[in-house]
């Protein structure tokens, strides 16, 4: 799976420029609310503590930052990194009451931070959108402290045949739902295609290992509709 860096980042930026106003609503509709449960699962596996330094890459409208912050009594330091200025603005405005959050307009391939900075690196429904996954994973490894931990929540491959058939049928109607809610099919056609083309659980695990992480493992959510991968910087 290789993309011309500029082409993919332009396409992805265009996708999120179409959806930013209704992004949260569409997430609830499309996932039938499941994304909330998956994100809670992610936070309970991360188990962030007070004073931890957390980087939330592809932060979008800030769901993960908000949950991590709540889990730590708003006493962790969370850096939200997001390349789409409209998505970033929605998150920043929505969470302006949280003064432990910092918002940075940048991308996963090139993080403007020193090495060994963060205790946790989190990327939720973001890694599928990056143009260069190897570069992004190497950056994740670089900015984590030794002993720091990487977490990735992403759509994956359904492991039950019957559920997979139902899921594939459901996926076909998502662009039409997108047309009704955001007035455009394109972003949701991209969503379905990008999920389809993305790595399965085991291939993503190998990628994470190849880019320097140790003790990499994953957990399926809803039978593999999504999965959480994690690994350590030793
Ligand atoms: C599906 S949203 C996920 C938002 C949020 N993390 C969540 O779980 O709801 C994906 C986000 O990835 C961002 N993104 C796209 N390309 C990126 C890149 N190269 N580096 C970092 N983020 C990227 C998009 O702008 C978008 O806001």
């Amino acid at each position: 799976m290789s993309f011309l860096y500029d082409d993919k980042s332009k396409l992805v930026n265009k996708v999120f420029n179409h959806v930013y106003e209704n992004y949260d609503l569409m997430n609830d509709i499309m996932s039938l609310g499941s994304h909330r449960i998956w994100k809670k699962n992610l936070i309970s596996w991360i188990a962030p503590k007070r004073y931890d330094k957390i980087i939330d890459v592809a932060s979008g409208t800030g769901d993960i930052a908000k949950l991590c912050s709540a889990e730590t009594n708003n006493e962790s330091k969370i850096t939200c990194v997001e390349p789409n200025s409209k998505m970033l603005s929605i998150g920043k405005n929505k969470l302006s009451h949280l003064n432990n959050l910092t918002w940075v307009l940048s991308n996963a391939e090139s993080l403007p931070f020193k090495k060994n900075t963060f205790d946790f690196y989190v990327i939720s429904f973001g890694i599928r959108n990056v143009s260069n996954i190897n570069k992004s994973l190497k950056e994740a490894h670089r900015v984590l402290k030794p002993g720091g931990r990487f977490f990735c929540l992403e759509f994956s491959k359904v492991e039950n045949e019957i559920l997979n058939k139902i899921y594939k049928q459901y996926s076909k109607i998502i662009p039409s739902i997108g047309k009704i809610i955001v007035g455009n099919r394109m972003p949701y056609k991209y969503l379905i295609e990008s999920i389809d083309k993305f790595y399965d659980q085991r291939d993503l695990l190998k990628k994470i290992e190849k880019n320097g992480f140790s003790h990499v493992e994953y957990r399926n959510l809803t039978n593999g509709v999504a999965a959480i991968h994690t690994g350590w910087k030793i």
Side-chain angles (χ1 to χ4, degrees):
M1 203 181 318
S2 67
F3 293 96
L4 287 172
Y5 183 94
D6 272 356
D7 288 353
K8 187 171 179 190
S9 64
K10 275 185 198 147
L11 168 70
V12 171
N13 201 39
K14 195 170 157 195
V15 163
F16 288 97
N17 276 342
H18 277 294
V19 303
Y20 69 99
E21 283 171 307
N22 294 299
Y23 174 77
D24 292 342
L25 172 67
M26 264 309 272
N27 260 356
D28 279 330
I29 295 174
M30 279 176 343
S31 75
L32 310 172
S34 306
H35 79 108
R36 291 176 185 264
I37 299 165
W38 299 335
K39 286 171 180 168
K40 279 192 184 148
N41 266 278
L42 171 68
I43 304 304
S44 68
W45 199 0
I46 299 172
K49 297 177 305 307
R50 293 162 75 191
Y51 314 125
D52 277 343
K53 290 178 92 179
I54 303 164
I55 180 167
D56 173 22
V57 175
S59 55
T61 58
D63 276 11
I64 300 303
K66 182 180 167 197
L67 290 169
C68 280
S69 186
E71 189 72 14
T72 58
N73 202 22
N74 304 327
E75 287 178 299
S76 48
K77 286 256 169 273
I78 306 173
T79 305
C80 303
V81 174
E82 167 58 46
N84 183 292
S85 56
K86 292 176 174 158
M87 292 288 280
L88 187 146
S89 292
I90 300 257
K92 197 174 176 177
N93 292 336
K94 197 169 75 177
L95 303 177
S96 60
H97 57 288
L98 296 174
N99 57 19
N100 55 325
L101 268 52
T102 310
W103 296 83
V104 178
L105 188 72
S106 191
N107 59 60
E109 290 87 348
S110 171
L111 297 171
F113 308 104
K114 289 187 182 147
K115 65 176 185 179
N116 305 339
T117 300
F118 298 99
D119 299 290
F120 292 106
Y121 174 107
V122 191
I123 184 162
S124 160
F125 299 113
I127 206 147
R128 181 177 31 86
N129 294 305
V130 305
S131 307
N132 189 328
I133 191 166
N134 291 318
K135 211 169 168 190
S136 303
L137 289 169
K138 284 192 177 76
E139 275 294 83
H141 193 269
R142 183 183 67 78
V143 299
L144 275 170
K145 293 176 186 171
R149 198 168 183 187
F150 168 88
F151 278 94
C152 168
L153 168 61
E154 189 50 85
F155 288 109
S156 202
K157 302 292 172 213
V158 179
E159 294 194 332
N160 174 289
E161 222 174 283
I162 296 166
L163 185 64
N164 193 32
K165 278 190 183 146
I166 298 168
Y167 178 66
K168 291 277 176 226
Q169 286 307 316
Y170 176 61
S171 300
K172 286 183 190 158
I173 63 166
I174 285 182
S176 304
I177 302 175
K179 171 87 178 145
I180 296 164
I181 309 286
V182 304
N184 198 327
R185 283 170 186 277
M186 180 280 279
Y188 296 96
K189 225 171 146 273
Y190 163 78
L191 172 78
I192 302 307
E193 283 172 13
S194 67
I195 293 172
D196 214 42
K197 281 187 199 148
F198 194 61
Y199 303 102
D200 68 20
Q201 290 82 332
R202 284 160 203 83
D203 286 344
L204 181 58
L205 183 146
K206 283 186 212 143
K207 271 249 154 238
I208 297 167
E209 280 179 343
K210 274 197 179 147
N211 283 287
F213 288 96
S214 304
H215 306 294
V216 182
E217 57 180 311
Y218 72 86
R219 285 180 192 167
N220 278 338
L221 302 167
T222 319
N223 208 268
V225 173
I228 300 171
H229 284 72
T230 182
W232 297 82
K233 175 170 172 177
I234 304 287

